[in-house]
Amino acid sequence: MKNLLLLFCTAFLIVSCGSSSGTKSIKAESIDPEEYASTITSDELKTMLYTYASDEFEGRNTGEKGQKLAVEYLKGQYKSMTVPTPLGDDDYFQEVPLEKHKVAEGNLTINGNDYLNFEDLVVLAAPYSINMSIDDIVYVGFGIDDDNYSDYKNIDVKGKFVLAKAGEPRDADGNFITSGKTDNTKWTNGRQSISSKREAATENGAKGLIFINNEQFSKYAPYYQSQAASGSTGRLSLKSNTDGMIMILANEDLGKEIYASIAKNNTPKLIETAINFDIENKSETIISENVVAYIKGSEKPDEIVVISAHLDHEGIKNGEIYNGADDDGSGTVAILEIAEAFKTAEKAGHGPKRSILFLHVTGEEKGLLGSRHYTDNDPIFPLENTVADLNIDMIGRTDPKRTTGTRNYIYLIGSDKLSTELHHISEEANTKYVNMELDYTFNDDNDPNRFYYRSDHYNFAKHNIPVIFYFNGTHADYHKPTDTPDKIQYDLLETRTRLVFYTAWEVANRAERIVVDKATE
């Protein structure tokens, strides 16, 4: 009887322990994100977007009044949701120092002869004002530095000004030596040749570049002169912490004054000449802001999942406000709703295992400036700890050129380019929760639109951080004042926002960090 009783008690304990363990396992696995996704609603998205894309925000042009109102609005939303900032205290703003370029004034005196702004030269880049003289310049032929041909191979240009001319050498069959083909390359292709030769000079340590190109000078000079006369400001760029390089575009007369044999001689050499540079940089420094908020991970807080969208748009042009409801007001309010969903989960005791960074970047329309500042200059969290970036840029409309399939779709770009796992997670999350049509049309490496390189996720991807870019495609109101909140399809905006949330949920809560199996050099 004792043995029977002992056996019974033992069996009871085993069953009880097994049952207890099983209950914990089921409880851990039964967390249903649909409960939290239900907080993402078309009504809330609509209410926020009608404010965010209103005339009051003046098109949210980077560095201007409307953009300042926008970042304060976002800060207020996060504070009302009690979603904290990773910067501490009440600081939701990551400052992004920018330079607003105005046309520089430049004059050169060469061997006693004066060469004037707009008549003989234009200053394309002048990070600082200078008045200096040099007694030599390095002639670098075509100014090319390529695997198959380099003008910099046997000459030191560090800290010096260099002189380069337009074009590139051909072989006996008329093919360009750099490519082996007759088609123009980046060294000969118009504006691209300017940036390519500037980059080559910069990478070899040159202090400045005088580029002789009659064709491009005839286009740039009148445009720069009109801009200077009107007092217009030009492009924005990230303010460099270094001096940067001076670049001057000039005509052939100036080139011949420096080196009489420039047209015939392609061999790099040191040229003794007396040049006085008098350049005035008229640009100004402005400060813009990325907005950052986050939810700290419960188990792996040092691993970060970024959800990003750009907060800026085109501002006011010719008296018309470019509201940017779809581009990218839709992505901006989507992140706010996703943050609310994660915060609701956290309050219920089901916060994400990994940390979530909600990143609203500035200056996307000016060249992905805010995201580049975050990744290249000032990552708040180490890039090596960043698991993925889910980037949302235009998810409130439909593409009129998409003639097959239903309206219940989203274009996905980049999901499989760096991590096979991320792609599978994305597909599975969609099948399990949303069941939209995932359209990979623009994910093709040969896509002529090159959308993969045109939104903020790319600044993460170039650092081998897996990305997904969510996109509805362009439409007739793209980058026009008619991109207004009344044209947003809010049911689609809700569904697409939930898809991003579900994907982020899966990435943040899986046992192992996703693997980067397709890293680029």
Side-chain angles (χ1 to χ4, degrees):
M1 187 71 178
K2 286 183 179 179
N3 289 339
L4 183 60
L5 181 61
L6 179 62
L7 181 63
F8 175 79
C9 291
T10 303
F12 178 80
L13 287 171
I14 292 172
V15 171
S16 297
C17 291
S19 174
S20 175
S21 175
T23 301
K24 287 181 180 179
S25 177
I26 290 170
K27 184 178 180 182
E29 293 176 358
S30 64
I31 299 172
D32 184 1
E34 291 181 285
E35 176 184 350
Y36 310 118
S38 67
T39 65
I40 299 170
T41 67
S42 58
D43 286 344
E44 289 185 357
L45 289 162
K46 184 175 184 178
T47 297
M48 289 189 292
L49 190 54
Y50 263 84
T51 298
Y52 195 75
S54 67
D55 286 354
E56 178 187 357
F57 285 68
E58 298 183 354
R60 309 185 303 277
N61 196 17
T62 301
E64 297 186 2
K65 175 187 172 183
Q67 183 252 300
K68 304 297 183 182
L69 291 173
V71 298
E72 289 293 343
Y73 174 82
L74 295 175
K75 175 181 176 179
Q77 292 296 309
Y78 283 115
K79 291 185 69 174
S80 69
M81 291 188 286
T82 65
V83 176
T85 166
L87 300 177
D89 298 326
D90 195 38
D91 187 5
Y92 286 81
F93 300 155
Q94 178 190 39
E95 290 191 348
V96 181
L98 302 173
E99 190 166 25
K100 182 181 287 188
H101 294 272
K102 293 184 178 180
V103 178
E105 289 198 5
N107 298 287
L108 299 186
T109 302
I110 305 172
N111 299 321
N113 297 318
D114 292 331
Y115 290 84
L116 305 178
N117 212 24
F118 309 129
E119 293 183 23
D120 306 293
L121 63 103
V122 290
V123 180
L124 299 185
Y128 51 90
S129 297
I130 64 168
N131 189 309
M132 64 176 293
S133 298
I134 62 172
D135 54 16
D136 59 38
I137 188 170
V138 181
Y139 174 56
V140 291
F142 296 104
I144 295 171
D145 192 7
D146 192 85
D147 291 340
N148 297 326
Y149 175 90
S150 177
D151 290 304
Y152 290 92
K153 188 174 182 180
N154 297 312
I155 196 160
D156 182 11
V157 301
K158 290 180 181 178
K160 293 185 173 292
F161 276 82
V162 298
L163 172 70
K165 64 180 178 181
E168 63 176 300
R170 298 176 184 264
D171 62 21
D173 297 322
N175 297 311
F176 290 123
I177 294 175
T178 58
S179 65
K181 300 177 181 179
T182 57
D183 297 335
N184 281 347
T185 73
K186 68 177 183 178
W187 304 108
T188 50
N189 190 25
R191 292 175 60 184
Q192 191 179 14
S193 70
I194 296 175
S195 59
S196 297
K197 296 190 178 186
R198 179 182 65 238
E199 289 170 7
T202 301
E203 290 171 2
N204 282 277
K207 183 175 184 177
L209 167 64
I210 300 176
F211 181 37
I212 308 303
N213 188 325
N214 258 6
E215 181 181 357
Q216 293 303 311
F217 176 76
S218 65
K219 296 175 181 178
Y220 275 75
Y223 172 75
Y224 271 55
Q225 187 169 22
S226 66
Q227 291 292 99
S230 66
S232 298
T233 56
R235 64 185 178 88
L236 285 176
S237 68
L238 287 177
K239 187 171 180 62
S240 175
N241 293 325
T242 61
D243 287 339
M245 192 183 75
I246 293 169
M247 184 171 184
I248 295 170
L249 178 66
N251 60 23
E252 289 181 357
D253 289 340
L254 187 149
K256 290 176 181 177
E257 180 66 43
I258 299 174
Y259 182 41
S261 301
I262 188 172
K264 300 177 181 179
N265 195 335
N266 301 333
T267 304
K269 61 181 298 186
L270 183 67
I271 306 295
E272 293 185 358
T273 184
I275 304 178
N276 183 75
F277 296 86
D278 187 6
I279 297 173
E280 182 182 359
N281 177 8
K282 293 188 172 184
S283 299
E284 60 180 301
T285 298
I286 64 170
I287 298 295
S288 189
E289 300 86 12
N290 292 334
V291 179
V292 290
Y294 94 128
I295 292 177
K296 186 175 182 179
S298 60
E299 295 182 17
K300 302 174 184 288
D302 292 336
E303 294 186 15
I304 313 298
V305 178
V306 178
I307 305 175
S308 62
H310 70 90
L311 60 88
D312 61 307
H313 195 55
E314 296 283 314
I316 301 174
K317 298 179 180 180
N318 300 318
E320 292 189 284
I321 298 174
Y322 286 60
N323 300 101
D326 193 23
D327 184 15
D328 186 26
S330 61
T332 301
V333 298
I335 291 186
L336 291 174
E337 283 288 87
I338 292 168
E340 181 187 23
F342 272 111
K343 186 64 181 180
T344 304
E346 183 187 51
K347 288 179 177 178
H350 299 147
K353 294 179 181 178
R354 293 175 177 83
S355 297
I356 310 290
L357 176 66
F358 307 105
L359 175 62
H360 301 263
V361 292
T362 189
E364 189 270 354
E365 302 289 2
K366 309 301 182 183
L368 315 183
L369 301 180
S371 58
R372 180 149 58 93
H373 178 70
Y374 180 93
T375 60
D376 296 10
N377 298 337
D378 186 25
I380 294 171
F381 297 101
L383 296 185
E384 58 268 24
N385 292 356
T386 304
V387 174
D389 172 47
L390 307 182
N391 182 52
I392 314 168
D393 192 350
M394 299 175 61
I395 60 166
R397 300 277 294 271
T398 56
D399 182 357
K401 298 184 290 298
R402 188 177 185 271
T403 56
T404 59
T406 71
R407 65 186 286 273
N408 188 36
Y409 78 95
I410 188 69
Y411 291 123
L412 295 190
I413 302 172
S415 63
D416 63 348
K417 291 191 183 297
L418 290 168
S419 173
T420 303
E421 280 188 320
L422 179 59
H423 179 71
H424 291 328
I425 290 168
S426 168
E427 291 264 337
E428 290 166 5
N430 178 62
T431 300
K432 184 176 181 180
Y433 298 112
V434 179
N435 203 29
M436 298 192 78
E437 290 183 27
L438 304 183
D439 191 326
Y440 296 98
T441 297
F442 298 120
N443 193 53
D444 189 328
D445 289 339
N446 297 314
D447 169 36
N449 298 285
R450 294 174 61 80
F451 287 128
Y452 179 66
Y453 304 94
R454 289 172 53 184
S455 192
D456 295 293
H457 61 278
Y458 180 68
N459 282 319
F460 289 88
K462 72 185 185 184
H463 290 284
N464 285 317
I465 296 169
V467 301
I468 302 177
F469 172 21
Y470 299 86
F471 180 51
N472 54 221
T474 58
H475 43 71
D477 301 305
Y478 174 64
H479 279 195
K480 292 183 179 178
T482 48
D483 181 9
T484 49
D486 57 297
K487 296 178 181 176
I488 297 296
Q489 299 176 46
Y490 289 95
D491 60 332
L492 287 180
L493 179 55
E494 175 188 289
T495 304
R496 291 162 175 171
T497 302
R498 290 185 179 188
L499 173 61
V500 181
F501 167 73
Y502 285 129
T503 305
W505 178 275
E506 297 295 330
V507 173
N509 288 302
R510 68 198 312 265
E512 301 297 330
R513 175 175 174 168
I514 60 173
V515 175
V516 180
D517 58 341
K518 299 180 180 180
T520 59
E521 294 182 1

